[in-house]
Amino acid sequence: MSTIAEVRLPSEEFALARTLRSVPDVEFETVRLVAHDADRVLPLLWAQTTDFDDLEEALSVDPSVDNVQLLADLAEERLYRMDWVANIRAVIHALVEQDGTVLSASGRADGWHLRILFPQREALSATYDYCTAEGLTFDVEAVSDLNEGRGSQFGLTERQHRALLTAYTHGYYDIPQNSTLEDLADALGISSQAVSQRLHRGYRNLVENALVIGHATDVEPGRSDANAAERDGEGAS
């Protein structure tokens, strides 16, 4: 079954390590990341920093980077295309050897966070085993299977996914609002309080998995406990 893994890689073991040391406030967010061959990864990524001159000087001498091209300058962030040519063995193995797909990746001085789609869970295990054998860090922080529902790719439980879709289709998010929590409760066959809790937990998981990736230290702890409580107790609502 297809599996999505949330993975952390130390910045010193990955591409752009020298740049992240030289410009410690820079943050990278990939738009696209594909393997060109077994020796080169082609990312398209946004960068944010307080000093782009320092960043571009660092990129020009970073041995893991080649062919840096500025595509867009939006004052507070810039879009770059470049080649990663070193410190990419973990990603190359996942993409080339195990047919994985990087759904998102973000990097800061404290490390890189990636969400990788593997065609089978065994491919994730094989990538982990490869990295361990090669002395590379490949910390798997969370795993979800796509057969848990489409919402699983955003960290949603099946109930959260259904509640959010029901709210959307019933016009709960429209302006003016076309339904109430009571209407959603009737549609889902649960209490309005349970609907409110599912929606709020669903919002949290959507934001964390779609927008906050790479910023796990900034997120209030306890999401796993909240989800566990929902799975264990919501059925009685």
Side-chain angles (χ1 to χ4, degrees):
M1 66 187 69
S2 295
T3 296
I4 294 175
E6 298 183 19
V7 177
R8 182 186 180 278
L9 307 176
S11 58
E12 62 271 16
E13 295 183 15
F14 197 55
L16 296 172
R18 182 168 176 175
T19 296
L20 288 165
R21 286 196 303 270
S22 301
V23 190
D25 76 330
V26 68
E27 298 185 13
F28 293 106
E29 190 81 26
T30 64
V31 178
R32 184 188 65 196
L33 194 157
V34 296
H36 182 266
D37 51 39
D39 300 309
R40 190 174 297 258
V41 172
L42 309 180
L44 190 66
L45 71 170
W46 288 100
Q48 294 183 344
T49 181
T50 56
D51 195 325
F52 282 101
D53 289 337
D54 283 353
L55 172 61
E56 294 186 353
E57 180 179 352
L59 288 172
S60 69
V61 296
D62 192 319
S64 69
V65 175
D66 197 8
N67 299 325
V68 178
Q69 181 181 0
L70 175 63
L71 299 182
D73 183 351
L74 302 183
E76 295 184 354
E77 58 182 355
R78 293 183 181 180
L79 180 66
Y80 295 94
R81 176 188 291 131
M82 63 185 70
D83 296 359
W84 290 348
V85 295
N87 298 338
I88 52 175
R89 286 183 294 161
V91 169
I92 287 290
H93 185 86
L95 300 184
V96 176
E97 300 298 328
Q98 301 301 329
D99 200 25
T101 301
V102 174
L103 301 177
S104 60
S106 62
R108 301 190 297 181
D110 61 356
W112 282 84
H113 289 77
L114 298 86
R115 296 177 70 240
I116 307 175
L117 172 65
F118 290 95
Q120 300 91 23
R121 186 174 287 246
E122 290 77 9
L124 167 60
S125 298
T127 300
Y128 178 85
D129 291 343
Y130 167 82
C131 291
T132 300
E134 294 293 317
L136 302 172
T137 304
F138 191 81
D139 288 334
V140 180
E141 298 182 330
V143 177
S144 59
D145 294 324
L146 285 184
N147 70 341
E148 295 173 1
R150 292 178 62 184
S152 65
Q153 62 185 298
F154 297 109
L156 299 174
T157 67
E158 182 178 352
R159 289 172 173 175
Q160 290 167 4
H161 184 246
R162 183 183 175 204
L164 289 167
L165 282 181
T166 300
Y168 178 80
T169 58
H170 282 69
Y172 182 74
Y173 305 117
D174 293 350
I175 301 175
Q177 206 171 47
N178 290 321
S179 64
T180 65
L181 281 176
E182 289 72 21
D183 295 329
L184 300 182
D186 289 341
L188 292 167
I190 58 177
S191 70
S192 57
Q193 180 181 1
V195 173
S196 178
Q197 290 175 349
R198 289 187 193 182
L199 292 178
H200 278 83
R201 288 169 179 155
Y203 300 151
R204 178 187 176 89
N205 289 348
L206 278 175
V207 170
E208 181 175 342
N209 287 280
L211 302 179
V212 190
I213 183 167
H215 298 264
T217 56
D218 300 330
V219 178
E220 179 184 352
R223 177 175 65 88
S224 297
D225 292 341
N227 284 346
E230 178 179 8
R231 288 191 297 269
D232 293 340
E234 206 178 55
S237 299

